[in-house]
Amino acid sequence: MDQTEDSALVEAVLSGDRDMYARLVNRYKRQMYNLAFRMTANSEVARDLAQETFVRAYANLHRYKLEKSFFNWLYTICINLTRNHLEKRHEILGENGDESATWEDANPSAEHRSPETQIIEQQNINGLEAALSALPEDLREAVVLRYIQELPFDTVANSMGVSLSAAKMRVYRGLEKMREVMTAQESFP
Amino acid sequence: MKSDWLTEHMLDAIDGTLSEADRRRFENALVEDPAARLRFEELSHLADMARQLPSLDEPVDFTAGVMDRIQHINHPWWLRSWYFLIRPHVIRVNLLGALSTAAGAVAAIALGISLFWQIEPSQAPVPVDTPKQYVMHFIYDDPHAKQVYVAGSFNNWQKEQIPLTDSSGNGTWTGVVPMQPGLYEYMFYVDGHWAVDNHALRYKDDGFGRKNAILELGTGNEISI
């Protein structure tokens, strides 16, 4: 992402050009929505959390330091909102059958693939999501940030407020735990 | 001890960030430890699967929902003023309007002077009420595009009349178009094909399976004189 352009857009918004904020939203909405969805497994909650992220960011835009990464700043807001939500609701992925949504529910474009491909993909995705959902929140967050959101380890560590080695350990323990779950469920492809 | 070393370097090996010496040592260690090899292969596979989890499409009205919610949030006036002053602006001057304003100012000064000195005011020009003009900045991102135009109801959809330029060479094509207040539909015309403005706030079906972006001027933030 172009940090210079982000800063220019933020300045435009702060000078009163509110519509320019739509460009920032469009630029990062997918990452925020996906992060919230992977942490909550609920498309409606994910939408609300991701939208709230952008609203909070707008309200506090004057606190954002232009020389820093806007993406990282948004990320911090989103992950904090998600943590708070999970703490409040005591949500654990997969346990709340009424609220949880599958990847297919949240991604209607999957319908365009062939039925065979969809079945195989869906089995793999379901197995992975079930294993992810079995993780404690701190390990899940570490795995989501590192391998689903593909953030570098130092950013994962910063986001989680832990040392680099602690972040690596959480990711490793998360992967190990997922491997155990998928092996037990015989869902390892 | 060897197992600890393997575990410690497992993630770096999965990520392919081991040094050449450590990579050789890691591979040699795996040869001697089949269980560790299996663990490494499964964890690598798991990491790959996680990386390849499909990205979800956000709801279609996501941006509009955010923009609706921020309409009532105002940043402090001094902050807006500060950023307004320090930012460069493209200003479209309506010459007739500017002259009228200038004439009005002259007339007001003359009137003030005449009242002060009890002198009869001369015949001052009457300010003309001209419609506002807007400056619309069009932006289209495509690093592979060779020619980009914007066309819409404001220019009778003439495809190659208003070019956008990529002055920085980074794929951000921009163009400035003076416009009157009104409701317009538009698209980009990129290398001989119509392209939707993905950053528009509103759209309308064009009847050909595409979406025209909607532009409403009259409540915007563009600068006009």
Side-chain angles (χ1 to χ4, degrees):
Chain A
M1 302 296 175
D2 187 340
Q3 178 56 33
T4 309
E5 200 174 330
D6 282 354
S7 298
L9 287 170
V10 169
E11 283 187 327
V13 175
L14 286 173
S15 73
D17 196 348
R18 202 188 304 255
D19 285 350
M20 278 293 161
Y21 196 62
R23 285 178 61 80
L24 285 165
V25 177
N26 283 333
R27 182 171 285 189
Y28 296 119
K29 62 186 175 184
R30 181 155 297 183
Q31 287 99 323
M32 298 308 134
Y33 176 69
N34 273 268
L35 171 64
F37 181 79
R38 292 300 173 203
M39 290 298 293
T40 63
N42 184 313
S43 55
E44 286 185 18
V45 170
R47 182 202 58 206
D48 291 347
L49 288 170
Q51 285 189 326
E52 182 66 18
T53 297
F54 286 104
V55 172
R56 296 264 180 112
Y58 182 85
N60 292 283
L61 206 55
H62 54 291
R63 299 180 203 279
Y64 162 67
K65 292 182 173 58
L66 289 172
E67 69 277 11
K68 302 274 188 181
S69 162
F70 185 71
F71 175 71
N72 286 349
W73 187 64
L74 270 183
Y75 230 101
T76 306
I77 296 172
C78 188
I79 200 72
N80 284 337
L81 283 171
T82 305
R83 280 180 198 140
N84 291 342
H85 171 81
L86 291 173
E87 280 172 16
K88 277 182 193 164
R89 302 286 297 272
H90 298 289
E91 277 189 9
I92 299 173
L93 282 177
E95 284 194 5
N96 191 339
D98 291 332
E99 289 198 349
S100 65
T102 65
W103 171 73
E104 242 178 355
D105 294 335
N107 199 51
S109 61
E111 292 165 11
H112 299 303
R113 287 187 261 282
S114 73
E116 294 81 4
T117 309
Q118 276 190 51
I119 289 168
I120 295 167
E121 278 184 0
Q122 198 54 51
Q123 284 172 345
N124 293 343
I125 289 165
N126 287 347
L128 193 70
E129 287 185 337
L132 198 58
S133 71
L135 296 179
E137 280 167 23
D138 58 339
L139 302 189
R140 188 193 318 151
E141 184 178 328
V143 172
V144 167
L145 293 181
R146 178 66 191 109
Y147 289 117
I148 299 179
Q149 301 293 327
E150 300 197 57
L151 297 181
F153 268 117
D154 55 349
T155 308
V156 175
N158 279 340
S159 173
M160 300 188 76
V162 297
S163 67
L164 186 63
S165 59
K168 284 188 172 184
M169 184 50 71
R170 287 187 189 185
V171 172
Y172 181 76
R173 285 171 51 210
L175 284 181
E176 274 283 21
K177 178 83 177 168
M178 288 172 72
R179 185 177 72 104
E180 287 171 18
V181 171
M182 292 180 77
T183 303
Q185 293 176 345
E186 297 180 348
S187 54
F188 225 119
Chain B
M1 183 63 80
K2 191 171 283 184
S3 176
D4 288 346
W5 188 89
L6 272 174
T7 300
E8 193 182 327
H9 290 80
M10 193 74 79
L11 272 185
D12 289 330
I14 289 170
D15 287 358
T17 54
L18 285 177
S19 68
E20 185 58 30
D22 281 343
R23 189 183 62 78
R24 277 199 297 272
R25 185 179 170 190
F26 188 83
E27 287 174 356
N28 289 335
L30 289 186
V31 170
E32 296 171 13
D33 188 344
R37 168 174 284 282
L38 178 64
R39 187 156 52 102
F40 170 67
E41 287 173 351
E42 288 185 344
L43 292 181
S44 296
H45 186 53
L46 206 50
D48 283 342
M49 282 175 67
R51 283 193 191 101
Q52 290 165 16
L53 264 181
S55 180
L56 305 171
D57 295 334
E58 67 288 343
V60 285
D61 57 351
F62 186 97
T63 302
V66 173
M67 296 307 287
D68 278 349
R69 289 181 59 191
I70 65 168
Q71 289 307 312
H72 69 282
I73 303 174
N74 290 312
H75 295 118
W77 66 267
W78 53 267
L79 193 74
R80 292 199 304 274
S81 305
W82 167 251
Y83 278 100
F84 183 86
L85 288 172
I86 65 171
R87 288 185 68 237
H89 295 284
V90 177
I91 297 178
R92 171 77 174 178
V93 177
N94 180 331
L95 195 58
L96 185 59
L99 284 174
S100 303
T101 306
V106 169
I109 292 168
L111 178 63
I113 291 171
S114 67
L115 288 174
F116 186 80
W117 293 102
Q118 296 295 306
I119 297 171
E120 286 293 318
S122 61
Q123 286 188 336
V126 178
V128 180
D129 186 20
T130 57
K132 273 188 172 182
Q133 281 211 345
Y134 288 86
V135 177
M136 188 61 202
H137 299 250
F138 288 97
I139 304 174
Y140 181 78
D141 294 315
D142 185 351
H144 305 298
K146 293 183 173 56
Q147 284 185 311
V148 178
Y149 298 87
V150 63
S153 51
F154 46 82
N155 75 335
N156 293 322
W157 293 96
Q158 293 183 61
K159 292 184 288 194
E160 298 182 354
Q161 186 186 55
I162 306 172
L164 272 55
T165 56
D166 179 15
S167 53
S168 58
N170 63 3
T172 300
W173 297 76
T174 60
V176 176
V177 183
M179 299 171 84
Q180 299 293 329
L183 186 68
Y184 302 100
E185 295 178 29
Y186 70 94
M187 290 186 85
F188 295 111
Y189 192 65
V190 182
D191 297 335
H193 300 283
W194 290 107
V196 176
D197 183 354
N198 291 321
H199 301 301
L201 295 177
R202 292 165 57 199
Y203 297 97
K204 181 182 175 185
D205 287 339
D206 70 349
F208 300 99
R210 290 183 300 256
K211 296 181 298 181
N212 289 339
I214 299 289
L215 175 62
E216 186 173 8
L217 293 178
T219 56
N221 298 302
E222 289 77 22
I223 301 163
S224 65
I225 289 182

